[in-house]
Amino acid sequence: MGDPIPEGHGRKGRPPHIATLENRRKVIVLAAFDKNEEQIAAALSITPPTLRKHYFRELRGKLEARHRVEGKLLVALMNEVDKGNVSAIDKVFKRFDRHDLALGNVVRPVKQGKSPKKGKKETAVEQAHSAHEGTPWGGLLKH
């Protein structure tokens, strides 16, 4: 009859924090995005000491966390490429270009400047000088 009595009813303080798989993933992702311990703890609604107590492995290496997240994203992207997703294919090519540029491995073709656009008179003069080419009169007009 009535509402059930919650576990820990009558005790003082907050209930103990339980580290879940979902919270561990949140810590890894937030660490990968270079969030500090205070920000990560606030996202989980716990204190920084509680964060360090329960998630010390996840906080150990921010660079490692970034590589983990990036690896998962790349695997997901390649799965979309395998399905034929054109947008994913484009993103993979752009990613390769950025990577190659960062390493300095890519030789980009030098764009040649466009020749200035000619006016009507210049075009007419040019055509007049080559009017004899490809016609039976060509031999006579050339001299």
Side-chain angles (χ1 to χ4, degrees), residues 37-58:
E37 289 183 4
E38 290 78 23
Q39 292 169 326
I40 297 171
L44 297 176
S45 299
I46 58 175
T47 63
T50 303
L51 176 74
R52 287 188 294 272
K53 177 181 176 183
H54 292 284
Y55 303 100
F56 61 92
R57 286 186 187 99
E58 288 80 5

Side-chain angles (χ1 to χ4, degrees), residues 32 41 55 103 112 141:
Y55 303 100
L103 295 176
Q112 296 178 356
L141 293 175

Side-chain angles (χ1 to χ4, degrees), residues 9-59:
H9 181 70
R11 289 193 237 161
K12 293 182 179 180
R14 294 175 72 177
H17 178 75
I18 299 171
T20 63
L21 183 60
E22 181 182 351
N23 284 342
R24 289 188 189 284
R25 291 178 66 131
K26 282 182 188 177
V27 171
I28 289 171
V29 170
L30 291 170
F33 282 98
D34 207 26
K35 300 295 182 186
N36 61 32
E37 289 183 4
E38 290 78 23
Q39 292 169 326
I40 297 171
L44 297 176
S45 299
I46 58 175
T47 63
T50 303
L51 176 74
R52 287 188 294 272
K53 177 181 176 183
H54 292 284
Y55 303 100
F56 61 92
R57 286 186 187 99
E58 288 80 5
L59 293 171

Side-chain angles (χ1 to χ4, degrees), residues 71-93:
K72 286 185 178 190
L73 290 173
L74 288 175
V75 168
L77 186 62
M78 290 308 295
N79 288 338
E80 289 299 313
V81 167
D82 291 340
K83 292 177 187 176
N85 185 332
V86 177
S87 177
I89 293 169
D90 185 48
K91 287 181 183 181
V92 169
F93 277 125

